[in-house]
């Protein structure tokens, strides 16, 4: 875990007044995205180049513009040049000392008492004028399965006699996913087609998925990587992690049920995934860390997955929520309705354990690689992160406030993930939203 420093001071306020008013993005947060101003044909403004920005209140600090305006120390010039690029990979590769130095200078420049306000004020872009792209070139995407509640709930549906497989309590289970279909919040995608086989027939058919689901996950971006053949030790693991975002790993449950044995998920997962634009850095998350625990009657982690540091601060107290807005709600002007509230601190495996396990065989991680945490479900019906669980495999529909029911998602449904951290000693910081809409099958 990163140490607390002056950037975490809960008393800090910003001259960007919207940052001081229950925003997702107070001065203690300072998450990164890749953005540009949307085209504005009325003002004869064509598409700009995508570049790096940091959120503050309802605005974005354009880091290239801020660099050119002379806001930062000269020594930061090589680092800042990496932020002119349309992806964060080169900046991520610089490592945590570089990320922390920039965070420190930005925090001082945005603070209420800063003498740099006049220079930096001209470098702000309103978030309402901005569009975003996936902030890193994601080389490899690994999807973990770290919620034992989710694994048990799903296991009961797919294998009633054997819900939790014996390796689950020893291995941070994961599989290699598909990065090409990870899209930025705000997109829409067509309902996938695939092979579906009902239990009472002999042969599958090719048809549009009937059991389309969301998965409430935390996305984890790798910053600096490791050399092939050289594992990352557990207590160094977080030095290699750039930050976290919200991640919806859309899933076609009927395609999944037919294809997943013997080699795991394939086309049931690779048609679409959604990330939120903002990456909240591990340094920003320092005040919200909690003990990682393993019940005494469960197997304890093998030595390479066990340390005092991991036990003391391995968990992240990150609230997570899912909301749904149906097409009817949208046309009636009804806002998305929350259907689940969960917390990443229930994760059976920590971020460090995912990194240490992923590399223990020598596998190399690269800047911009991405992990999904797996669906984060709590122990109550209100805290499960997928419809598969909320409806017990489609048997018991959920009912929305306007009377509409869902077992699985219908065309026109928009699913919005949200997330935030808060504590008694630190302010609320938010993750923004990861939102996407289901279109009919092509
Ligand atoms: Ca997943």
């Amino acid at each position: 875990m990163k140490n607390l420093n002056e950037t975490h001071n809960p008393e800090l306020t910003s001259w960007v007044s919207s940052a001081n008013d229950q925003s997702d993005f107070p001065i203690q947060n300072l998450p990164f995205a890749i953005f540009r101003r949307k085209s504005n044909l009325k003002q004869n403004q064509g598409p700009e180049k995508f570049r790096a920005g940091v959120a503050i209140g309802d605005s974005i600090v354009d880091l290239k513009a801020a660099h050119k305006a002379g806001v930062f120390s000269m020594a930061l010039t090589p680092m800042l040049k990496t932020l002119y690029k349309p992806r964060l990979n080169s900046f991520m590769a610089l490592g945590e000392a570089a990320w922390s130095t920039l965070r420190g200078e930005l925090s001082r420049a945005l603070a209420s008492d800063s003498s740099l306000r006049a220079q930096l004020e001209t470098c702000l872009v309103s978030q309402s004028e901005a569009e975003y792209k996936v902030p890193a070139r994601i080389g490899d995407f690994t999807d973990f399965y770290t919620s034992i509640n989710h694994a048990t709930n799903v296991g009961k549906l797919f294998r009633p006699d054997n819900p939790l497989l014996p390796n689950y309590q020893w291995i941070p289970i994961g599989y290699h996913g598909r990065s090409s279909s990870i899209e930025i919040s705000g997109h829409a995608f067509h309902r996938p087609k695939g092979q579906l086989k009902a239990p009472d027939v002999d042969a599958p058919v090719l048809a549009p998925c009937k059991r389309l689901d969301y998965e409430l996950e935390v996305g984890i971006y790798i910053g600096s990587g490791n050399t092939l053949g050289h594992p990352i030790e557990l207590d160094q693991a977080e030095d290699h992690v750039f930050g976290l975002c919200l991640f919806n790993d859309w899933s076609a449950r009927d395609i999944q049920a037919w294809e997943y044995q013997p080699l795991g998920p394939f086309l049931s997962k690779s048609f679409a995934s959604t990330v939120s634009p903002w990456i909240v850095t591990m340094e920003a998350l320092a005040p919200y860390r909690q003990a990682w625990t393993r019940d005494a009657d469960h197997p304890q982690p093998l030595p390479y997955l066990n340390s005092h540091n991991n036990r003391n601060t391995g968990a992240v107290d990150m609230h997570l929520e899912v909301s749904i807005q149906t097409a009817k709600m949208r046309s009636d002007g009804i806002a998305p309705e929350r259907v689940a509230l969960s917390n990443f601190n229930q994760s059976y495996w920590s971020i460090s354990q995912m990194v240490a396990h992923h590399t223990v065989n020598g596998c190399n991680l690269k800047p911009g690689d991405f992990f999904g945490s797996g669906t984060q479900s709590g122990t109550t019906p209100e805290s499960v992160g997928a419809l598969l669980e909320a409806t017990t495999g489609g048997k018991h529909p959920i009912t929305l406030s306007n009377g509409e029911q869902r077992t699985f998602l219908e065309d026109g449904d928009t699913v919005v993930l949200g997330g935030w951290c808060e504590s008694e000693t630190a302010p609320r910081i938010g993750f923004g939203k990861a939102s996407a809409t289901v279109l009919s099958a092509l």
Side-chain angles (χ1 to χ4, degrees), residues 143-144 175 215 217 249 251 269 374-375:
D143 196 21
F144 283 91
Y175 70 95
E215 291 196 326
E217 301 198 24
D249 188 27
S251 297
K269 302 281 189 169
T375 306

Side-chain angles (χ1 to χ4, degrees), residues 66-79:
H67 180 219
K68 295 203 158 172
V71 168
F72 301 107
S73 341
M74 289 293 284
L76 268 57
T77 293
M79 174 204 303

Side-chain angles (χ1 to χ4, degrees), residues 67-401:
H67 180 219
K68 295 203 158 172
V71 168
F72 301 107
S73 341
M74 289 293 284
L76 268 57
T77 293
M79 174 204 303
L80 287 157
K81 291 245 166 120
T82 66
L83 295 162
Y84 291 17
K85 297 184 180 182
R87 301 283 195 184
L88 288 172
N89 299 67
S90 304
F91 179 63
M92 290 167 152
L94 295 177
E96 55 154 359
W99 314 329
S100 187
T101 301
L102 182 62
R103 175 180 165 87
E105 289 214 5
L106 261 177
S107 174
R108 287 189 287 280
L110 287 164
S112 292
D113 60 359
S114 169
S115 59
L116 293 165
R117 173 175 180 167
Q119 282 148 279
L120 194 49
E121 210 159 27
T122 61
C123 308
L124 296 185
V125 173
S126 168
Q127 286 171 25
S128 62
E129 291 176 48
E131 60 186 352
Y132 304 91
K133 68 189 276 187
V134 177
R137 189 180 55 257
I138 298 173
D140 275 303
F141 157 41
T142 304
D143 196 21
F144 283 91
Y145 196 53
T146 66
S147 165
I148 195 169
N149 302 317
H150 175 70
T152 305
N153 292 339
V154 172
K156 275 182 200 158
L157 296 168
F158 281 72
R159 299 175 304 276
D161 51 333
N162 190 15
L164 196 66
L165 295 173
N167 58 7
Y168 187 86
Q169 293 176 315
W170 296 96
I171 295 177
I173 296 289
Y175 70 95
H176 285 271
R178 183 82 199 161
S179 56
S180 63
S181 52
I182 297 177
E183 301 238 0
I184 198 71
S185 179
H187 71 112
F189 64 92
H190 292 282
R191 178 179 296 272
K193 288 181 190 162
Q195 283 201 19
L196 314 180
K197 194 189 93 58
D200 53 351
V201 297
D202 290 334
V205 293
L206 180 70
C209 156
K210 295 185 181 67
R211 292 160 70 92
L212 184 62
D213 203 354
Y214 53 78
E215 291 196 326
L216 172 61
E217 301 198 24
V218 176
I220 299 158
Y221 283 97
I222 297 300
S224 49
N226 60 306
T227 307
L228 181 61
H230 296 264
I232 296 172
E233 300 284 332
L234 186 69
D235 280 348
Q236 275 75 56
E238 282 201 14
D239 297 350
H240 295 264
V241 178
F242 183 70
L244 309 184
C245 71
L246 301 164
F247 182 56
N248 187 345
D249 188 27
W250 303 89
S251 297
R253 300 303 182 191
D254 37 11
I255 299 173
Q256 183 179 358
W258 172 231
E259 75 175 3
Y260 88 103
Q261 293 189 104
L263 287 185
F266 181 29
L267 301 189
S268 56
K269 302 281 189 169
S270 60
F271 57 92
S273 310
T274 308
V275 287
S276 54
W278 297 103
I279 308 176
V280 176
T281 62
M282 296 311 291
E283 186 171 0
L285 292 166
Y288 315 98
R289 304 305 297 266
Q290 292 180 332
W292 176 91
T293 56
R294 174 59 50 86
D295 290 349
D297 59 345
H298 286 213
Q300 299 303 301
L302 293 179
Y304 79 100
L305 295 175
N306 195 19
S307 75
H308 290 296
N309 286 340
N310 186 62
R311 292 209 181 241
N312 288 339
T313 58
V316 185
D317 182 14
M318 175 177 172
H319 302 272
L320 298 165
E321 66 175 356
V322 185
S323 302
I324 293 180
Q325 185 186 47
T326 66
K328 181 171 190 314
M329 289 166 71
R330 196 155 46 250
S331 69
D332 292 347
I334 301 172
E337 177 174 336
R338 182 193 279 173
V339 295
L341 179 63
S342 185
N343 196 309
F344 189 33
N345 64 6
Q346 300 291 300
S347 182
Y348 199 75
W349 299 102
S350 70
I351 295 168
S352 293
Q353 288 169 324
M354 291 182 231
V355 171
H357 181 68
H358 202 310
T359 63
V360 73
N361 65 346
C363 175
N364 52 332
L365 301 176
K366 293 186 172 177
D369 279 0
F370 188 85
F371 297 173
S373 66
T375 306
Q376 295 299 311
S377 293
T379 52
T380 64
E382 298 75 32
S383 63
V384 292
L387 282 173
L388 181 69
E389 294 165 79
T391 67
T392 323
K395 288 196 200 66
H396 307 292
I398 60 167
T399 304
L400 300 166
S401 296

